[in-house]
Amino acid sequence: RGADLYGANLGGANLGGANLGGANLRGANLGGANLGGANLGGQWIIQGATRSDGYAFFLQRLTGDTVPMVKAGCRLFTLDQAQKHWETTRAGQSLLAETETIIRSMVQLATIRGYIQP
């Protein structure tokens, strides 16, 4: 609880049932980590799909975030920034549609779980 895990490589770690309330998880690699039953306090993370080019997607609101953030690879964006970035860099590519589908599914899950308002 309350650990500073900023930038930690927790990829593939079994964090099921861990008490991570108040922990600083900003910049941490959580790709493939098991967070089932973990106590994140007021923080939340939704692991989305991995895009066909290998980028794992997360929607998260961690300590210090004022809005939900999209994490893909080393990039961290607000939802609006993410949309603009991928519309610019992936226009006309199937990766744009794939990315939009992944983000839409994560937002739907966050809404169902009560993390964000519709």
Side-chain angles (χ1 to χ4, degrees):
R1 177 170 174 77
D4 184 1
L5 298 171
Y6 180 88
N9 183 2
L10 302 171
N14 181 3
L15 301 171
N19 183 356
L20 299 171
N24 180 1
L25 297 170
R26 289 188 60 83
N29 172 13
L30 295 167
N34 172 16
L35 294 170
N39 174 3
L40 299 177
Q43 304 177 96
W44 54 267
I45 301 170
I46 294 174
Q47 183 171 357
T50 298
R51 202 169 60 185
S52 60
D53 60 356
Y55 279 90
F57 282 73
F58 298 87
L59 182 64
Q60 60 194 38
R61 186 156 183 194
L62 303 178
T63 300
D65 292 339
T66 57
V67 295
M69 303 295 288
V70 176
K71 183 173 183 189
C74 65
R75 299 189 179 277
L76 188 64
F77 298 113
T78 65
L79 286 165
D80 288 340
Q81 291 168 337
Q83 183 69 33
K84 290 174 187 168
H85 170 76
W86 284 300
E87 284 176 353
T88 301
T89 62
R90 300 293 182 238
Q93 299 177 27
S94 61
L95 286 178
L96 176 58
E98 190 176 351
T99 301
E100 290 174 332
T101 299
I102 293 168
I103 293 173
R104 191 170 37 253
S105 70
M106 292 188 303
V107 169
Q108 288 174 335
L109 284 172
T111 303
I112 290 167
R113 293 176 185 174
Y115 299 150
I116 60 177
Q117 300 302 312

